[in-house]
C-alpha cells in the first residue's frame, strides 16, 4: 500500500442567517458525505478572499458581502483513497464570516459537493 502526503490550504465561509448556517455536503475526498463550510482550495497565486468568493459561488450558488477574517486552523486526516492508496492530508483553513447577498442556496451537485442548504 502506498501513502500520499499532501497539504491543502483553503478558504471557508461561515454564512449565518436567521440562526441557520449554510453548509455543503461533500461529494468526494476525505470528507465525502459529511457537512462542511462552503469553500475550498486556494489556487496558485490566488488571494484567499478571491478563493472564498469563487468556491462559495460554485458550491452554494451565492455571492458574498461583509467578509471578515475569523480564524485559522490546521487538521490532519488520514483516509483510504482506494484499495491501495492512503492519503495523509494536512488541511489548513482560513475561516471568514460573511453574508450571502441572496438567501437561496444551490441544491444541485458540483465537482466537490452535493449542494448546499441551511441547517
Amino acid at each position: 500500500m502506498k501513502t500520499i502526503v499532501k497539504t491543502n490550504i483553503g478558504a471557508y465561509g461561515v454564512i449565518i442567517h436567521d440562526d441557520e448556517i449554510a453548509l455543503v455536503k461533500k461529494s468526494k475526498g476525505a470528507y465525502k458525505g459529511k457537512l462542511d463550510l462552503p469553500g475550498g482550495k486556494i489556487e496558485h497565486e490566488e488571494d484567499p478572499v478571491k478563493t472564498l468568493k469563487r468556491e462559495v459561488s460554485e458550491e452554494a450558488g451565492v455571492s458574498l458581502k461583509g467578509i471578515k477574517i475569523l480564524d485559522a486552523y490546521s487538521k490532519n486526516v488520514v483516509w483510504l483513497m482506494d484499495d491501495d492508496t492512503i492519503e495523509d492530508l494536512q488541511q489548513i483553513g482560513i475561516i471568514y464570516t460573511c453574508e450571502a447577498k441572496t438567501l437561496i442556496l444551490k441544491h444541485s451537485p458540483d465537482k466537490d459537493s452535493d449542494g448546499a442548504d441551511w441547517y
Side-chain angles (χ1 to χ4, degrees), residues 13 18 23 30 41-42 64 73 80 89-90 92 99 102 104 116:
D18 286 343
L23 297 174
K41 184 179 177 185
I42 298 171
L64 299 176
Y73 73 91
L80 185 62
L89 172 66
Q90 179 185 10
I92 299 169
E99 298 173 56
T102 61
I104 299 171

Side-chain angles (χ1 to χ4, degrees), residues 1-6 77-81 84-89:
M1 186 159 303
K2 66 181 177 181
T3 300
I4 298 172
V5 177
K6 200 164 145 183
V77 61
V78 178
W79 66 288
L80 185 62
M81 290 177 66
D84 68 342
T85 308
I86 293 172
E87 183 176 74
D88 183 349
L89 172 66

Side-chain angles (χ1 to χ4, degrees), residues 15-99:
I15 308 167
I16 297 175
H17 176 72
D18 286 343
D19 294 327
E20 292 187 312
I21 187 168
L23 297 174
V24 297
K25 187 172 184 182
K26 301 306 275 184
S27 63
K28 67 179 191 176
Y31 303 107
K32 182 178 180 176
K34 297 184 189 293
L35 295 175
D36 198 5
L37 294 172
K41 184 179 177 185
I42 298 171
E43 300 296 335
H44 183 70
E45 294 189 2
E46 188 175 43
D47 175 88
V49 172
K50 184 176 179 181
T51 297
L52 177 69
K53 290 177 179 179
R54 175 180 55 78
E55 288 283 348
V56 169
S57 176
E58 288 173 7
E59 292 184 351
V62 294
S63 298
L64 299 176
K65 61 182 180 178
I67 300 168
K68 296 179 185 169
I69 194 161
L70 176 66
D71 202 357
Y73 73 91
S74 178
K75 177 182 171 97
N76 198 69
V77 61
V78 178
W79 66 288
L80 185 62
M81 290 177 66
D82 56 42
D83 289 339
D84 68 342
T85 308
I86 293 172
E87 183 176 74
D88 183 349
L89 172 66
Q90 179 185 10
Q91 178 68 45
I92 299 169
I94 305 167
I95 310 298
Y96 294 87
T97 59
C98 37
E99 298 173 56

